[in-house]
Amino acid sequence: MNRLTSRLPDWTLLLVVGLTVAYFLLTHEGLYALDDYFYARYAHQLLTGTFRVEPDPLGLLHDPLKERPLIFGPVAVCYALFGLNILSTTLWPLLATLGCAVLIWRLYRRREPLVAAAAMLLLGLHYFTLNLTNYLYPDNILMFWCLAGAGTLLRGREPGRAAGRWGAGFAALSFAALLSKETIVYYLPFYLGVLGWDAYKRRHGRFWGVALATGAGLLAAYLGFYQYYTHDALYRIHLIEQTNQFLQEGNYLAGNRAALLSRVTWQPLAFFVGAGLGLMLMLAAVAVGRPTPLAAAETGPAAPPAEAPDRRFWLLLALSTLLLYWVGSTSLSQYNPISLLPRMTTPLLPPLALAAGFGLRTVVQRTGWWAIATGLVWLLAAAWLRNAAAVLYALPGLYVLLLGVGASRPWWPARLRAGTPGLTALTVLVLAGALAIRPLYFMRKPSVSGHFAQDRLIRQHLQAPAQGVVFVDDYLIGNYDFYYGFRPPAGLHYRRYWARDSVQLAPGQHAWLLLNRATLSNDELTRKLIRYSPDSVLSWYPRRRLVAEDGPVALFDVSGF
């Protein structure tokens, strides 16, 4: 194997890890969503021994987040090690994201260097993969368990493996995914298909025997746990159904029937292209074809095993998962397709990225009309988008189109001919450059939440023994206790801005106005939650005195309001 090609996965892994960590640190918006807050609170309760697994006796609180212990459990460990802050809160999603890159590197760095490099880039530098490192959401964590479980299924059935151990590992990883998010069920049809095929061929019996026994034991213990604490072994399923019932006004057969046809036809494709997944989808389609074998100079005496089983494995897993996203339902009792949000696609991403890696391998080895077709599709996607995201398709589209037209011409450099190490390295470099543009852009943008400035002001000025009232916006009122490690000082009381007329200060108490201009100008919040501007808030408190200011956040003394 050529030295340049063999080192590609190593350099790619360094790039992905470095850019992911840089993005995490430079674009972090702090506590930004309701899910973050609930998971963080459960982690704190777990750490302090106050977590309760009993259901709400009135059946009013439909919170499936509480049933995902492998989301907030590791966060409790992070709190014990590093204290309670926003970085320790989101360290687990970051580690899971990095873990996906390491798993791909470990799976294919020797067998298929180009596949490894391409898949790490397509998955690790996908903008929404990076974006989800900043939030305590289950999606990237589930993605890690999905990739680890699928990789274990693939490798554990190879000859010469300790099949029993691999089978037990596959069951344990699948169970870990279940404890993270329910959408691991989207892998179930594929897993059952592999089991059925192996049973038909009468092979891998020990792997599946141990896997099924281990899985049955874990599932029995899991159901028994719920039966003991909630008197309902299927409590988690019933909880999900209750949540769907609560949200039934958006159901596609009830309140949203008019949108059903578009939802199951063209909308998913438009969504995937708009989310930047068109690169993976097209390359995965190319991977369906039979690739040209590598040249002898490329493989050397220690040629890797045939890639066909791995390629088919990831293609079929990607296809089955994609179909369930396209037409599947999140409910057993009503038809409710999964929301077309980028963070909902994370189980799909690992198999799709790996299948796309095999597709890029085909493009580099064959060039010709494979590259021309790929380039034209990407350029059409760029023309259809006509926005800033179009550059993601335009740059690699132009490059691959040029490759398809020119690689076989006499004037084309010999070192960049089809299948050469030079062309392989250049293709990986172009792909990395195109994928890095959007993350680098957001790494330079100012904060839209002002979390860290707000945190500094609270730590410096709103701590015990201060007593009184702090007037805050409608977003902060729901999570201010996070800034105190969920233990706010007894003498400080937080109230909404508009509650000023109902507040009376006791002797010796003060009143403060905490104004976060970043929050009040954030479109995501002002469209749904906040209906006032910084100027209007200041007009409500004419008798104010500036105490401190940090970036977009200001603290005023308004004791005479």
Side-chain angles (χ1 to χ4, degrees):
M1 183 181 294
N2 181 274
R3 179 175 174 81
L4 176 62
T5 305
S6 66
R7 295 304 302 274
L8 267 180
D10 301 333
W11 291 112
T12 304
L13 178 64
L14 289 175
L15 171 65
V16 170
V17 169
L19 192 59
T20 302
V21 173
Y23 184 92
F24 175 80
L25 296 174
L26 296 177
T27 66
H28 211 301
E29 295 293 350
L31 196 68
Y32 196 70
L34 190 62
D35 287 13
D36 302 59
Y37 174 77
F38 278 123
Y39 286 128
R41 189 175 66 181
Y42 293 145
H44 176 260
Q45 291 174 355
L46 201 62
L47 181 64
T48 57
T50 58
F51 183 79
R52 296 291 179 266
V53 296
E54 293 86 352
D56 171 39
L58 299 179
L60 299 176
L61 302 178
H62 308 309
D63 182 12
L65 307 186
K66 196 174 183 181
E67 314 309 318
R68 299 170 178 174
L70 281 190
I71 302 301
F72 55 84
V75 176
V77 177
C78 293
Y79 287 166
L81 295 175
F82 309 112
L84 199 160
N85 56 69
I86 193 58
L87 294 182
S88 63
T89 297
T90 50
L91 181 60
W92 174 217
L94 172 65
L95 293 176
T97 307
L98 297 175
C100 291
V102 173
L103 285 174
I104 293 173
W105 175 82
R106 185 69 180 85
L107 280 169
Y108 287 107
R109 67 186 178 97
R110 295 189 186 278
R111 295 171 179 249
E112 294 284 354
L114 176 55
V115 172
M120 281 189 285
L121 290 174
L122 289 167
L123 180 64
L125 299 190
H126 175 53
Y127 170 71
F128 292 103
T129 297
L130 291 170
N131 180 256
L132 286 168
T133 62
N134 288 344
Y135 308 104
L136 186 52
Y137 282 176
D139 306 286
N140 280 16
I141 299 168
L142 174 66
M143 183 170 69
F144 172 76
W145 297 123
C146 287
L147 177 56
T152 301
L153 175 62
L154 176 64
R155 291 287 174 259
R157 294 159 52 250
E158 292 179 341
R161 303 282 186 182
R165 294 181 181 179
W166 284 83
F170 169 66
L173 290 167
S174 300
F175 185 68
L178 179 64
L179 297 184
S180 298
K181 194 175 181 181
E182 302 79 11
T183 44
I184 182 58
V185 73
Y186 283 1
Y187 276 28
L188 183 59
F190 176 78
Y191 288 166
L192 292 176
V194 175
L195 170 61
W197 181 252
D198 283 349
Y200 173 74
K201 291 290 185 178
R202 296 184 179 181
R203 60 186 184 185
H204 309 306
R206 180 167 177 77
F207 175 91
W208 284 112
V210 175
L212 292 173
T214 305
L218 291 172
L219 190 59
Y222 183 62
L223 297 178
F225 172 86
Y226 275 112
Q227 180 65 38
Y228 177 78
Y229 279 101
T230 70
H231 307 293
D232 180 6
L234 301 179
Y235 171 75
R236 190 173 179 185
I237 295 177
H238 295 154
L239 184 63
I240 295 170
E241 289 302 315
Q242 286 177 338
T243 304
N244 278 293
Q245 185 68 25
F246 180 73
L247 300 174
Q248 65 177 334
E249 69 276 2
N251 179 270
Y252 281 87
L253 295 182
N256 202 21
R257 182 178 296 182
L260 175 62
L261 181 61
S262 58
R263 172 58 185 82
V264 298
T265 53
W266 61 268
Q267 274 187 358
L269 180 60
F271 160 71
F272 287 132
V273 173
L277 296 180
L279 291 178
M280 296 192 214
L281 288 172
M282 183 58 198
L283 288 174
V286 171
V288 175
R290 186 184 300 275
T292 301
L294 287 173
E298 188 69 10
T299 58
E307 52 77 42
D310 284 23
R311 177 170 55 89
R312 286 196 296 265
F313 180 92
W314 297 115
L315 272 171
L316 290 173
L317 178 55
L319 178 61
S320 64
T321 310
L322 179 64
L323 287 175
L324 283 171
Y325 270 94
W326 209 295
V327 298
S329 174
T330 63
S331 171
L332 299 175
S333 61
Q334 50 189 312
Y335 185 62
N336 188 27
I338 196 167
S339 302
L340 292 179
L341 296 174
R343 72 184 186 91
M344 299 297 182
T345 64
T346 46
L348 171 64
L349 298 185
L352 188 61
L354 282 161
F358 284 102
L360 188 66
R361 181 182 187 268
T362 297
V363 169
V364 170
Q365 289 173 14
R366 288 192 174 186
T367 63
W369 72 270
W370 293 86
I372 292 174
T374 302
L376 287 175
V377 170
W378 287 346
L379 290 176
L380 287 173
W384 178 75
L385 285 176
R386 289 178 297 178
N387 56 28
V391 70
L392 176 66
Y393 298 104
L395 291 181
L398 288 170
Y399 167 77
V400 173
L401 183 61
L402 177 63
L403 178 64
V405 172
S408 60
R409 305 297 180 185
W411 47 266
W412 191 264
R415 292 184 177 182
L416 298 179
R417 298 240 175 227
T420 60
L423 182 62
T424 298
L426 179 61
T427 302
V428 170
L429 185 63
V430 170
L431 183 62
L435 289 167
I437 290 175
R438 192 174 185 185
L440 290 172
Y441 168 75
F442 280 96
M443 286 163 63
R444 298 182 58 189
K445 290 191 69 175
S447 170
V448 298
S449 70
H451 169 89
F452 294 100
Q454 185 167 265
D455 182 58
R456 286 190 293 269
L457 287 184
I458 290 175
R459 290 180 182 275
Q460 293 168 8
H461 300 279
L462 298 176
Q463 300 289 332
Q467 293 189 348
V469 177
V470 185
F471 293 106
V472 296
D473 56 69
D474 286 77
Y475 175 69
L476 183 58
I477 193 65
N479 57 45
Y480 68 88
D481 56 345
F482 175 84
Y483 293 83
Y484 297 98
F486 297 100
R487 295 175 177 174
L492 282 176
H493 306 281
Y494 278 70
R495 297 290 186 269
R496 290 180 171 85
Y497 292 143
W498 47 263
R500 62 194 182 279
D501 293 335
S502 62
V503 171
Q504 292 185 349
L505 297 178
Q509 288 188 328
H510 289 267
W512 293 271
L513 169 68
L514 185 60
L515 185 72
N516 188 333
R517 292 182 174 85
T519 296
L520 299 189
S521 59
N522 186 337
D523 290 341
E524 292 186 1
L525 297 177
T526 54
R527 287 198 309 266
K528 301 177 181 179
L529 183 63
I530 296 174
R531 305 295 184 182
Y532 38 78
S533 67
D535 290 338
S536 63
V537 172
L538 292 175
S539 69
W540 299 339
Y541 299 89
R543 301 172 62 183
R544 62 183 183 273
R545 177 179 62 84
L546 181 65
V547 176
E549 192 167 14
D550 189 335
V553 186
L555 180 67
F556 299 91
D557 187 312
V558 291
S559 299
F561 70 93

